[in-house]
């Protein structure tokens, strides 16, 4: 039998030392509360978007959908895509649901909304500048199955293949795909 061994992921993007990801709870496009802690055991791809964005948001969403399309069935349940609103005053549950429908996002994509104070707390935890400020940050935050931030990917620059590579690397690292771990 062929043995597949992973010597450790070579993540793409801005790789950082594993750092605990701050837990938060917001509401999905289906009106359900979800917390980051509930998603532990999965690779989480976190980004910040708004439903009416005409800048980089459509491209980021499209590349996330493309990367998701390349994930096979055995991996899909081990990955969650989270988009935290950057416009909590406008992005209602209904607007988020419509956005998800129009963009044809996968079932493991959650557009998260909530009261401005809750959303701003998430922005602060993930060093996301407030919308409308000179400093903007369209990026992806990669969180491993142990709940640790592992890398950032620039929103304008990442490719679906890079994102797919990072997801698979993190799943392999935690041996969530059933391959032998070699030491």
């Amino acid at each position: 039998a062929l043995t597949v061994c992973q010597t450790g992921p070579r993540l793409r993007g801005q790789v950082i030392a594993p750092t605990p990801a701050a837990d938060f709870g917001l509401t999905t496009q289906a009106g359900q509360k979800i917390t980051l802690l509930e998603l532990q055991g999965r690779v989480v791809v976190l980004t910040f978007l708004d439903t009416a964005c005409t800048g980089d948001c459509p491209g980021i969403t499209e590349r996330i959908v493309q990367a998701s399309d390349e994930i096979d069935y055995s991996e899909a349940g081990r990955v969650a895509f989270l988009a935290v609103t950057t416009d909590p005053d406008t992005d209602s549950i209904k607007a988020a649901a419509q956005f998800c429908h129009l963009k044809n996002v996968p079932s493991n994509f959650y557009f998260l909304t909530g009261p401005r104070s809750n959303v701003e707390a998430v922005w602060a935890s993930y060093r996301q500048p407030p919308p409308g400020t000179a400093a903007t940050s369209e990026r992806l935050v990669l969180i491993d199955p142990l709940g640790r931030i592992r890398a950032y990917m620039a929103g304008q620059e990442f490719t679906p293949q890079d994102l797919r590579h990072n997801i698979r690397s993190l799943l392999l690292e935690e041996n969530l795909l059933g391959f032998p771990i070699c030491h």
Side-chain angles (χ1 to χ4, degrees):
L2 178 66
T3 301
V4 178
C5 298
Q6 179 77 4
T7 58
R10 291 181 177 85
L11 297 174
R12 298 174 185 166
Q14 179 190 352
V15 180
I16 66 167
T19 306
D23 189 28
F24 60 86
L26 292 171
T27 305
T28 71
Q29 70 271 18
Q32 299 172 315
K33 286 278 193 188
I34 192 169
T35 67
L36 187 61
L37 188 59
E38 290 173 51
L39 298 173
Q40 200 156 10
R42 299 182 194 182
V43 171
V44 174
V45 178
L46 173 66
T47 192
F48 300 86
L49 307 171
D50 74 78
T51 61
C53 174
T54 57
D56 292 326
C57 302
I60 290 170
T61 305
E62 182 179 316
R63 291 191 306 275
I64 287 172
V65 169
Q66 289 172 353
S68 174
D69 288 346
E70 296 175 11
I71 295 173
D72 69 40
Y73 182 77
S74 66
E75 298 169 344
R78 300 180 192 281
V79 181
F81 300 96
L82 305 181
V84 174
T85 182
T86 57
D87 188 0
D89 298 329
T90 305
D91 285 342
S92 64
I93 292 169
K94 182 178 179 182
Q98 183 176 15
F99 174 90
C100 291
H101 176 74
L102 291 173
K103 300 297 182 185
N104 198 30
V105 300
S107 61
N108 57 344
F109 182 102
Y110 304 97
F111 197 107
L112 304 176
T113 63
R116 176 170 277 282
S117 59
N118 294 13
V119 173
E120 286 178 346
V122 178
W123 296 344
S125 294
Y126 289 89
R127 296 185 180 99
Q128 171 70 19
T133 61
T136 60
S137 174
E138 290 87 13
R139 65 179 180 182
L140 303 181
V141 181
L142 284 129
I143 302 170
D144 70 18
L146 298 177
R148 303 173 302 179
I149 299 171
R150 299 293 299 280
Y152 298 100
M153 300 177 78
Q156 306 99 323
E157 300 168 9
F158 82 92
T159 66
Q161 295 77 22
D162 288 339
L163 180 55
R164 173 75 183 87
H165 167 86
N166 284 351
I167 290 167
R168 186 159 183 82
S169 294
L170 291 173
L171 289 171
L172 284 170
E173 177 182 87
E174 296 302 325
N175 201 30
L176 293 174
L177 295 180
F179 294 119
I181 297 178
C182 300
H183 296 285

